[in-house]
Amino acid sequence: MTNQDIRPTIDAPDDDPRIWLEEIDGAKPLEWVEKQSAITMQRFGGQQFEHDRDVLTAILNRPDKIPMVARRGDYLYNLWQDEKNPRGLWRRTTMVSYKTSEPEWDLLLDVDALATAENDDWIWAGAQIEPEKRQRAILSLSRGGSDAVVNREFNLETLRFIEDGFNLPEAKGGLGWLDPDTVLISSALGDGMATQSGYARTVRLWPRGTDPLAAAVIFECPPDSMAVGVDIDHSTGSERLWFVEQRSFFETAGWQGDRSGPRQRMDVPATAWWNSYDQWLTVKPREDWTVAGVTHPADTLLGISLQAFLAGDRDFQVLFEPAPRRALQGFFWNDKKLVVSYLDNLAPRFEIFEPATGKWTRRPIAVLPAEGMVHVWSLDVEHNHTNGELLVAAQDPITPAQVLLLDIAEPDTLAAPTLLKQSPAVFDATGLVVTRHEAISSDGESIPYTQIGPRAETGDAPVHMTGYGGFGLSMEPYYSASVGKLWLERGGTSVVANLRGGGEFGTPWHDAGRRAGKKLSHDDFAAVAADLVRRGVTRPDRIAAEGGSNGGLLISNMLTRYPERFGALFCTIPLIDMRRYNKLLAGASWVDEYGDPDKPEDWAFLKEMSAYHAAVPGRPYPPILIATTRRDDRVHPGHARKMAAKLQEFGYTASFYEPEAGGHGYGKDNRERASFIALGYAFLRDAIGWTPA
């Protein structure tokens, strides 16, 4: 057995002998990374891996997959990736052409050709098209998939970059068009322009032809805030600006203003969601809000005239009321109508509201699928140009996605949506059923989970299990090409757990799995694993669990807290060191979710979920593969590196993999993503002793 240096420990959390692995591009850490990745590839990168990688790559590159689009003016824009164009083609077409089986696309930019010509690792990160003339765009390009981007102005008529245009070097953040010759900079570029989290600290007004670093600051926040932002709003027919200071992940302060800066503070709770369109304001308080003698419960959606609100009126219309398992998921404006989405015991529901000085009218959208995963959003990017047309994506774990066009211009006579595109089936779902179950967690809470697999239980099913449980994000069971092709089609079973910390049942569900409650979120996942055994689906050594980012924190805690309930763990792009997470890259922005390790009262509960400190020798830890990417500038790769090194020193079966590119994801193109996933699944199958036919 190798030397066992148990540092750091819960009692001595700052004595870290592996901190050298946090030097992302240091010679010594990279030597360790390359050696570890090579060992992992040699162990699991055999013929079956290569076959799975190629099969999954072909699926992700299929020529008949759905080209997702967004409309700006007369055109639908799309970024298309396939085998010949792994980085992508930025292109556009018309709605008339898009509705055909073979749309005609105008090519705007070949990202692969650009990367080759400039000898740079360019990855597409989006475009902001000037909304008045639509002759120019500001393109965002990422190196290797990182969050930081280079911004470059592009001429949509000549299809060339503008050398002396609105161009910014690499930084987190971007630009927004005020008019063809003026933009707003919300970027961390420049001395003193970044918050402690690494995001933009200022909004700057940049006229064409001037030095961006000398642009006038019209809004700023202190360095210990998370970020600032600005929304350019033309929904009234004229220009107004909404300035937002993101004080922490769940707290903001907002102002209405103009090009000179903020003018009037929005008197809403710091933790509320809110937006404005035309002459109306909508607010969803995160906590109970008592105003004008009325208490509005958390997660209620409220509407009011913006002018009346700014004048002091607080006579809100109640648009949505939550229930224990009925939770708002989102709301947006389209064609002067408010579209509201919510989950009713995990079933998708949608409603339309039309504002009025009296009572707002309400109509359910009854023409959409009532089960599975259904998302709705505006076809038009520019809110002031919306005309009632919505895009709808609908799917479930065994039914591939379809994209529909729904017109809500006349809510009284809503017609069934029109099918625009249908994704092909990419795995054989014959004999598979989707069922819903509930597990009982450590404190008696019922935790829902979705199971996909054969109808009959064998008692030793190879189970792929995943969950997230963080930041109020909802986990909805979707059609997964990787799980379907590499697991379900071969006779396996898949499970998606809805953990506390997510947003499936609103703020109370999120808060129950936040900060000190994060430990309960992890208990929830372990309870689902135990319930699969109790129900006779499988046994512990046949459960293979995967989670990424916050889900990587989850998986690392399954290793140290519940090792007896799993046969294998795939921990990706993870947080693991909860003592130093707030000092690494964007970590300071997540203190709202996890707590502040520099405060003794927060470290008292954080230490219980810091797997890097909790890991000790001599426990029955299952095999684990910890994987990250070097270009992840959100969650520091040091988390994964240090945990793998510590486990290996203890003699555990702990593998490590770190490709160079990918950002906070599994790869920069479809082949890299397929390789990452196929390697993980090869490891999981091997560790649980499953060799499917």
Side-chain angles (χ1 to χ4, degrees):
M1 185 173 291
T2 55
N3 176 48
Q4 295 183 355
D5 187 343
I6 66 172
R7 298 176 297 162
T9 65
I10 289 174
D11 294 329
D14 300 315
D15 185 8
D16 186 355
R18 299 169 203 87
I19 202 166
W20 59 274
L21 284 167
E22 292 179 4
E23 189 182 353
I24 295 174
D25 295 311
K28 183 180 176 183
L30 286 185
E31 181 182 0
W32 182 90
V33 165
E34 296 299 333
K35 180 181 178 181
Q36 291 289 328
S37 295
I39 292 171
T40 299
M41 285 300 299
Q42 184 177 14
R43 175 70 179 82
F44 303 107
Q47 289 185 349
Q48 186 62 56
F49 156 77
E50 292 175 356
H51 172 268
D52 291 350
R53 176 200 62 203
D54 293 345
V55 166
L56 189 54
T57 300
I59 288 173
L60 298 176
N61 283 331
R62 283 185 67 127
D64 56 351
K65 65 184 176 182
I66 298 176
M68 301 303 293
V69 293
R71 185 166 63 192
R72 297 172 173 90
D74 296 331
Y75 293 102
L76 308 183
Y77 290 79
N78 164 261
L79 192 280
W80 178 259
Q81 294 173 293
D82 58 22
E83 182 179 3
K84 294 181 179 179
N85 308 282
R87 298 175 187 270
L89 302 174
W90 188 43
R91 57 189 192 168
R92 67 186 182 187
T93 189
T94 63
M95 176 59 83
V96 172
S97 183
Y98 185 72
K99 288 181 176 180
T100 67
S101 59
E102 297 289 339
E104 295 182 0
W105 296 94
D106 297 327
L107 176 61
L108 302 176
L109 179 68
D110 183 330
V111 185
D112 292 271
L114 178 68
T116 299
E118 299 187 350
N119 192 29
D120 219 326
D121 193 17
W122 292 130
I123 303 298
W124 179 260
Q128 300 291 327
I129 295 176
E130 193 280 310
E132 182 179 327
K133 298 180 179 179
R134 300 195 182 92
Q135 296 171 347
R136 296 186 174 190
I138 296 171
L139 309 189
S140 296
L141 299 167
S142 158
R143 289 188 171 95
S146 64
D147 286 350
V149 296
V150 171
N151 289 285
R152 297 167 66 177
E153 191 175 1
F154 186 78
N155 190 313
L156 289 169
E157 296 178 323
T158 65
L159 304 184
R160 294 181 180 276
F161 286 104
I162 300 169
E163 293 299 325
D164 59 348
F166 289 122
N167 304 319
L168 286 182
E170 188 175 50
K172 289 188 178 182
L175 305 173
W177 291 98
L178 282 174
D179 58 53
D181 293 312
T182 318
V183 298
L184 291 177
I185 305 174
S186 298
S187 170
L189 179 70
D191 292 339
M193 295 299 174
T195 65
Q196 292 174 4
S197 298
Y199 297 110
R201 197 181 69 78
T202 63
V203 174
R204 290 169 277 179
L205 184 73
W206 183 17
R208 185 178 294 281
T210 64
D211 180 1
L213 295 181
V217 173
I218 61 172
F219 183 63
E220 62 184 310
C221 72
D224 59 354
S225 278
M226 179 178 164
V228 296
V230 61
D231 181 40
I232 302 168
D233 178 10
H234 292 98
S235 61
T236 63
S238 60
E239 178 186 286
R240 64 184 176 190
L241 305 181
W242 296 99
F243 296 93
V244 175
E245 176 188 350
Q246 189 87 32
R247 293 181 170 172
S248 62
F249 209 92
F250 303 112
E251 292 190 4
T252 63
W255 292 261
Q256 181 179 325
D258 54 30
R259 297 190 184 199
S260 65
R263 290 296 182 190
Q264 186 165 0
R265 172 80 177 265
M266 296 300 293
D267 183 22
V268 297
T271 57
W273 291 358
W274 57 275
N275 68 19
S276 179
Y277 178 90
D278 194 18
Q279 301 299 328
W280 304 98
L281 173 71
T282 43
V283 182
K284 182 191 82 75
R286 181 181 166 81
E287 301 157 327
D288 291 355
W289 183 26
T290 300
V291 59
V294 179
T295 298
H296 302 288
D299 293 349
T300 302
L301 183 61
L302 307 170
I304 196 171
S305 156
L306 176 63
Q307 182 178 3
F309 177 84
L310 293 176
D313 186 0
R314 297 296 181 266
D315 185 17
F316 289 100
Q317 292 283 314
V318 176
L319 308 179
F320 174 87
E321 295 180 278
R325 291 215 163 185
R326 183 175 182 266
L328 191 70
Q329 297 296 297
F331 52 95
F332 64 91
W333 291 89
N334 183 299
D335 191 30
K336 302 187 186 305
K337 303 171 188 66
L338 183 70
V339 181
V340 173
S341 64
Y342 61 95
L343 290 177
D344 190 353
N345 200 20
L346 299 180
R349 299 289 184 266
F350 302 91
E351 295 180 353
I352 302 170
F353 291 87
E354 290 190 80
T357 52
K359 187 174 180 59
W360 294 32
T361 59
R362 168 187 171 275
R363 297 176 181 85
I365 304 179
V367 294
L368 297 180
E371 301 294 336
M373 178 174 168
V374 183
H375 288 172
V376 174
W377 67 99
S378 293
L379 172 61
D380 292 284
V381 174
E382 300 154 10
H383 292 172
N384 54 307
H385 292 130
T386 56
N387 64 354
E389 290 183 305
L390 307 179
L391 290 178
V392 181
Q395 59 189 295
D396 67 47
I398 59 175
T399 307
Q402 54 182 356
V403 173
L404 310 156
L405 182 65
L406 175 67
D407 191 342
I408 64 167
E410 300 294 336
D412 289 329
T413 56
L414 274 186
T418 303
L419 178 65
L420 287 177
K421 299 293 176 183
Q422 174 73 58
S423 180
V426 298
F427 64 89
D428 185 358
T430 303
L432 296 177
V433 294
V434 181
T435 54
R436 166 92 172 272
H437 308 275
E438 304 258 343
I440 304 302
S441 192
S442 57
D443 62 344
E445 181 65 74
S446 292
I447 308 303
Y449 65 95
T450 300
Q451 178 178 322
I452 308 100
R455 186 178 301 275
E457 307 294 6
T458 64
D460 68 346
V463 173
H464 177 276
M465 186 175 162
T466 190
Y468 188 76
F471 295 94
L473 299 177
S474 300
M475 285 282 286
E476 298 177 75
Y478 63 97
Y479 188 84
S480 169
S482 55
V483 173
K485 192 67 179 179
L486 304 187
W487 205 273
L488 293 173
E489 187 179 86
R490 298 175 182 178
T493 294
S494 171
V495 168
V496 179
N498 298 107
L499 314 176
R500 282 174 286 185
E504 294 89 341
F505 302 134
T507 297
W509 190 255
H510 174 210
D511 282 348
R514 188 165 71 98
R515 292 177 53 82
K518 190 64 65 181
K519 191 174 179 180
L520 281 176
S521 176
H522 301 162
D523 291 345
D524 296 348
F525 195 70
V528 172
D531 198 60
L532 293 169
V533 176
R534 181 194 65 80
R535 289 179 43 238
V537 176
T538 190
R539 58 181 195 267
D541 63 346
R542 297 281 275 179
I543 300 178
E546 174 185 358
S549 193
N550 174 75
L553 174 66
L554 165 72
I555 295 299
S556 69
N557 273 262
M558 294 306 99
L559 182 83
T560 56
R561 296 187 58 218
Y562 290 100
E564 71 284 351
R565 298 196 186 184
F566 299 91
L569 300 170
F570 184 28
C571 180
T572 67
I573 51 176
L575 284 86
I576 302 179
D577 179 354
M578 299 308 288
R579 181 65 173 181
R580 285 182 50 75
Y581 87 89
N582 63 326
K583 299 174 176 64
L584 301 173
L585 296 176
S589 65
W590 310 321
V591 167
D592 252 13
E593 179 71 16
Y594 299 118
D596 186 347
D598 296 328
K599 295 180 178 179
E601 62 271 26
D602 286 8
W603 177 244
F605 59 78
L606 277 167
K607 67 184 182 183
E608 301 297 328
M609 66 185 85
S610 185
Y612 182 51
H613 295 81
V616 292
R619 296 292 308 283
Y621 293 166
I624 186 169
L625 170 58
I626 306 176
T628 186
T629 76
R630 198 166 312 149
R631 291 295 297 181
D632 188 347
D633 56 352
R634 194 179 312 173
V635 178
H636 197 290
H639 287 276
R641 294 175 178 183
K642 295 193 301 180
M643 185 64 170
K646 185 175 186 181
L647 292 173
Q648 289 175 4
E649 290 169 24
F650 291 168
Y652 290 118
T653 303
S655 301
F656 178 83
Y657 177 63
E658 182 187 297
E660 182 176 356
H664 192 57
Y666 286 4
K668 67 183 180 185
D669 57 40
N670 288 335
R671 183 176 175 82
E672 286 190 4
R673 283 185 280 273
S675 182
F676 194 107
I677 294 166
L679 184 68
Y681 286 23
F683 158 79
L684 291 175
R685 290 193 302 265
D686 178 83
I688 65 171
W690 181 39
T691 307

